[in-house]
Amino acid sequence: EDCAEVTFVPADDSSTPIDFTAGQFLTLHLKQEGATPRHYTVTSAPGKPFLQCCVKKLKGGLVSNLVHNFKEGDVVGLSPPFGTFVMGEKPAVLISAGIGATPMKAFLDVHKSKVKMALHVDKSEATHPFRQEFLDSGVSTHFHYTSQDGRPTAEDLVKLVEPHIA
């Protein structure tokens, strides 16, 4: 697969819950020549003693390829979760495409009762990150795969979400 969800645990094996807000990102620092810090949305729910993120492997991408070759026990540097892309208090329709499904996974974990619908566009079912998690959430979902149905128009997307907007 092109996407891999990676789990980071504290090097000291601490079980202290990690506090952050769903939708925030972590910054990965690798001690490798040419590897610049990279930001990845945290896909795990807050309050767990670990952080997870999903990394899409990019052809020629130094950091993404290094991440896909991680071995259990590798030690890396992380900056704490940060960012302002968070879900508000009102009900919402989640719309994502490609690797943009990552914050939606966290929102479904934490705010499922506020999610009216989750709509995702991707190349195919095989390339859709967290497809099963979307289905298992019990939230109304719609998936559009461009390899089968072409690119959706703005009008198509509006028709799909309109019934779910209050």
Side-chain angles (χ1 to χ4, degrees):
E1 286 287 337
D2 289 343
C3 294
E5 189 170 40
V6 182
T7 301
F8 300 101
V9 296
D12 66 0
D13 290 325
S14 169
S15 61
T16 303
I18 301 171
D19 187 35
F20 65 96
T21 303
Q24 291 184 313
F25 62 87
L26 58 80
T27 304
L28 177 64
H29 305 270
L30 300 179
K31 292 182 179 175
Q32 170 98 18
E33 182 71 31
T36 57
R38 291 287 188 259
H39 306 295
Y40 298 104
T41 302
V42 179
T43 56
S44 52
K48 299 182 188 251
F50 58 84
L51 294 173
Q52 291 176 304
C53 70
C54 185
V55 178
K56 182 175 182 176
K57 188 174 187 177
L58 301 174
K59 184 177 180 180
L62 175 63
V63 174
S64 69
N65 280 275
L66 289 169
V67 170
H68 276 255
N69 290 317
F70 280 173
K71 305 279 186 283
E72 187 171 337
D74 284 352
V75 177
V76 300
L78 293 181
S79 294
F82 184 78
T84 59
F85 183 60
V86 296
M87 196 163 152
E89 294 303 313
K90 295 181 180 177
V93 171
L94 304 180
I95 301 174
S96 59
I99 196 64
T102 56
M104 306 313 158
K105 177 186 184 268
F107 293 152
L108 283 171
D109 283 347
V110 177
H111 303 293
K112 183 168 70 171
S113 65
K114 290 194 262 180
V115 177
K116 299 282 206 174
M117 177 190 195
L119 184 150
H120 184 76
V121 178
D122 219 307
K123 189 185 315 180
S124 68
E125 186 176 315
T127 61
H128 180 167
F130 306 116
R131 180 181 186 280
Q132 194 58 52
E133 287 84 343
F134 276 66
L135 292 170
D136 292 345
S137 73
V139 168
S140 175
T141 58
H142 179 83
F143 306 140
H144 183 97
Y145 299 122
T146 58
S147 63
Q148 297 170 12
D149 304 315
R151 293 181 68 100
T153 66
E155 294 79 20
D156 293 337
L157 298 177
V158 167
K159 284 179 190 171
L160 289 167
V161 301
E162 258 181 339
H164 303 279
I165 299 174

